[in-house]
Amino acid sequence: MAWLWLVIGVALAIAEVFTTTFVLVMFAAGAFAAAGAAAIGLPWYAQVLSFGAVSAAALALVRPAIQRHLNSETEGAPIGLAAIEGSLGLVLERVDLDHGLIKIEGEMWSARPYDATQVIEKGERVRIIEIKGATALVWRE
């Protein structure tokens, strides 16, 4: 009987490779536990009980931890325009409602003040509030 549980466990583990949901691998763990129970000579109902208990425990405890770990890795540092917003820039040409040029992390960007009444002179530091198209809306630091 242990061989049957081992075959079921291996089949479930292989099937998990194609689904990547981390459900079938939890049932595979249960099947391996049942194979262990069969190997030490426990009756079939104890094997089924160990399969169910280990599978349920893995689904309730292990799978959520794996999901949290995988989802936390996707939330990393911002990239693209989101990485620029909030950073600092240096004014290269006066920034007012009609024109302006700033340097952000080595790149030149056209700029306008976020507050239309602000005029920011050359050499001042600004915070990038928002990017609209190819223009940075900035605020004097």
Side-chain angles (χ1 to χ4, degrees):
M1 192 67 162
W3 288 105
L4 177 63
W5 284 113
L6 283 174
V7 168
I8 291 171
V10 169
L12 287 169
I14 290 171
E16 176 63 42
V17 172
F18 298 105
T19 64
T20 64
T21 58
F22 296 106
V23 172
L24 295 178
V25 74
M26 302 303 152
F27 288 116
F32 293 137
I40 62 172
L42 294 177
W44 68 270
Y45 56 86
Q47 297 169 29
V48 171
L49 184 64
S50 67
F51 170 78
V54 170
S55 296
L59 283 168
L61 302 173
V62 177
R63 185 173 183 268
I66 292 171
Q67 294 291 349
R68 273 194 308 274
H69 177 71
L70 291 175
N71 291 337
S72 70
E73 288 181 0
T74 59
E75 299 170 5
I79 59 172
L81 295 180
I84 295 173
E85 292 177 354
S87 64
L88 290 175
L90 176 66
V91 176
L92 299 177
E93 292 179 9
R94 180 180 162 157
V95 175
D96 58 27
L97 194 54
D98 298 320
H99 69 283
L101 185 66
I102 63 171
K103 188 175 189 177
I104 307 169
E105 297 177 9
E107 295 183 6
M108 310 294 213
W109 282 77
S110 61
R112 302 292 176 269
Y114 188 73
D115 176 4
T117 62
Q118 274 189 345
V119 175
I120 307 166
E121 297 298 329
K122 179 180 177 180
E124 290 188 60
R125 295 267 177 206
V126 292
R127 172 113 13 224
I128 291 71
I129 303 298
E130 185 178 354
I131 302 291
K132 285 203 174 194
T135 303
L137 299 179
V138 298
W139 187 268
R140 179 182 292 125
E141 264 300 292

